[in-house]
Amino acid sequence: MAESIDILIAQQHLRLVEEDEFQEFQAWKKAQVKPEEWTLKQFAEHVFNQKGTTRALNYLIKYKNQLDVLRGGFIDYGSTHNGWHIPSHEIQKFIIEHGLN
């Protein structure tokens, strides 16, 4: 009895470019700003120096009216069930302005 064998064939396309074009691409890639986002745990560790997330969560809930994207903020509270996505630069700036109270 013959066994079936699945074969995966992948094609790769190579494009040779001039050195100056490659350098331009590298410079463009380096210039792209990628905002770093923290999870709730990372936020707790970086800001509160704690492994637990209770204090960090309480902080985010306390300032929900200012931080929620629906009210002009930068955190999407509506999708936190998929995990927190906290822009690190923006939250650090907010903390400087509002403190950790």
Side-chain angles (χ1 to χ4, degrees), residues 15-51:
R15 178 175 176 249
L16 298 176
V17 296
E18 298 292 325
E19 178 68 23
D20 60 337
E21 187 178 0
F22 175 74
Q23 294 301 330
E24 285 178 29
F25 174 74
Q26 291 295 82
W28 171 84
K29 187 176 169 184
K30 189 174 184 178
Q32 299 305 302
V33 177
K34 298 176 187 172
E36 181 182 345
E37 290 185 339
W38 287 337
T39 64
L40 183 60
K41 184 175 181 176
Q42 290 169 325
F43 175 58
E45 290 172 351
H46 289 290
V47 175
F48 297 101
N49 297 315
Q50 297 177 342
K51 291 187 180 193

